[in-house]
Amino acid sequence: MPGPLLEESSFATLFPKYRESYLREIWPLMNKSLEKHGIACQLDLVEGSMTVRTTRKTWDPYVILKARDLIKLLSRSVPFPQAVKILDDEVSCEVIKIGNIVSNKERFVKRRQRLLGPNGNTLKAIELLTECYIMIQGSTVSAMGPYSSLKDVRRIVEDCMNNVHPIYHIKELMIRKELAKDPKLANESWDRFLPRFKKRNIKQKKPKIGKKRKRELFPPEPMPSKVDLQLQSGEYFLKPDEKRARDEERKRQSEAEHRVKKQAEREQAFVAPKEKSSSSKAKQGKAEKEDKDRMEALKNKFKAQAQVREGKRTADDVSAYVVDA
């Protein structure tokens, strides 16, 4: 530009308390980086704010917007060596707010963790494919990189918070990267190569809702107290001696009932068991008879075998005697 800017422009942003010590350390480096572009910066630790503004040395009118993005990234926990790259013309940034997408806090934490993945592997894969730097902090996601890639990052982050896993977008980006290498497909549609994922609606068990009780106009009657029960039975009006005699009578009755019950239990042990029916006796006699017959048959068999052996032995003796003679 031939001369200084006509008007002074300034931007300010607040930062959380835990960033105060880090910002105090890197602020001299911040001043040094912005002085090259003719931008003044101020750190207010009382209010907890950072301010950037143009000076008479500012020659680039767009650099104030870059400085605004720089302080915004620093307030969202992006380290200074990375955040200062926003001053380059080819680098853009975007701060995506994810706090209002999911109302349930537990679900929000799970889906935010899904963006990181195990040991931060999912986040690294997204950074490699989009060539962007991504920082997840609290309820915001800060991204730095080429403008065209920031659109993909926003789409991945918003879909993840709307319960679409980042792995689907990672697969799609990998395929797009491979297709971009082929010059023949530059003017063709890539839809036939891209994967199409179907939504699976898993039926969840509906919580059982109990029947609602009808609200009565009047509250239920209170339980009668001990005095009320005594008034109903007439015991309240008895004299102490009569009450004592009544209690003793009740005690004697309960003891007599208990004694009768115990006596019945003792006599139960001397009750003769029920005799078996005639059919069971007949079956038992028949089984005994079959056992006896079986034993007799075995005895006769053994006797016959013994007689055969004895006859054989006598015949051998006679033949031996005849030969000797």
Side-chain angles (χ1 to χ4, degrees), residues 72-106:
K72 196 189 293 183
L73 290 169
L74 287 172
S75 66
R76 298 315 307 154
S77 299
V78 178
F80 176 74
Q82 180 65 38
V84 79
K85 292 177 184 177
I86 196 65
L87 297 174
D88 298 339
D89 291 336
E90 296 176 359
V91 181
S92 303
C93 79
E94 190 169 6
V95 178
I96 306 160
K97 294 179 181 179
I98 57 174
N100 299 328
I101 298 174
V102 184
S103 56
N104 191 341
K105 191 176 180 182
E106 290 180 7

Side-chain angles (χ1 to χ4, degrees), residues 96-217:
I96 306 160
K97 294 179 181 179
I98 57 174
N100 299 328
I101 298 174
V102 184
S103 56
N104 191 341
K105 191 176 180 182
E106 290 180 7
R107 200 175 297 162
F108 168 76
V109 172
K110 283 181 182 178
R111 291 182 185 177
R112 187 180 62 182
Q113 185 61 32
R114 198 181 291 169
L115 262 178
L116 287 166
N119 300 322
N121 291 335
T122 306
L123 191 66
K124 286 175 190 173
I126 296 168
E127 285 180 345
L128 287 169
L129 291 167
T130 58
E131 298 177 357
C132 292
Y133 172 83
I134 302 168
M135 180 72 183
I136 301 170
Q137 177 68 26
S139 60
T140 58
V141 177
S142 306
M144 290 176 61
Y147 182 74
S148 58
S149 298
L150 290 176
K151 290 181 182 178
D152 293 331
V153 174
R154 175 175 275 279
R155 185 161 57 95
I156 292 168
V157 171
E158 288 181 350
D159 284 352
C160 181
M161 299 311 291
N162 288 321
N163 203 21
V164 178
H165 204 282
I167 193 66
Y168 300 127
H169 293 292
I170 289 170
K171 286 182 180 178
E172 186 182 330
L173 288 170
M174 288 170 72
I175 294 165
R176 283 181 182 277
K177 201 167 186 179
E178 290 297 320
L179 292 172
K181 293 176 184 177
D182 192 353
K184 295 177 182 177
L185 299 171
N187 299 321
E188 292 184 20
S189 176
W190 293 351
D191 291 341
R192 66 181 188 275
F193 301 110
L194 299 175
R196 294 175 184 175
F197 302 105
K198 293 181 181 178
K199 260 193 173 182
R200 293 181 181 178
N201 293 327
I202 300 168
K203 290 185 178 179
Q204 295 180 349
K205 290 182 180 179
K206 292 182 180 179
K208 292 181 180 179
I209 301 169
K211 292 181 180 179
K212 291 183 179 179
R213 293 181 182 178
K214 291 183 179 179
R215 286 192 176 183
E216 295 181 0
L217 186 61

Side-chain angles (χ1 to χ4, degrees), residues 1 5 39 43 50 74 94 97 109 139 165 172 183 192 195 225-226 230 232 259 264 266 279 314 319 323:
M1 286 181 66
L5 298 174
I39 299 291
L43 177 67
M50 293 180 283
L74 287 172
E94 190 169 6
K97 294 179 181 179
V109 172
S139 60
H165 204 282
E172 186 182 330
R192 66 181 188 275
S225 63
K226 191 177 179 180
Q230 287 178 352
Q232 286 177 8
R259 202 179 299 113
R266 286 195 207 96
S279 61
T314 51
S319 62
V323 170

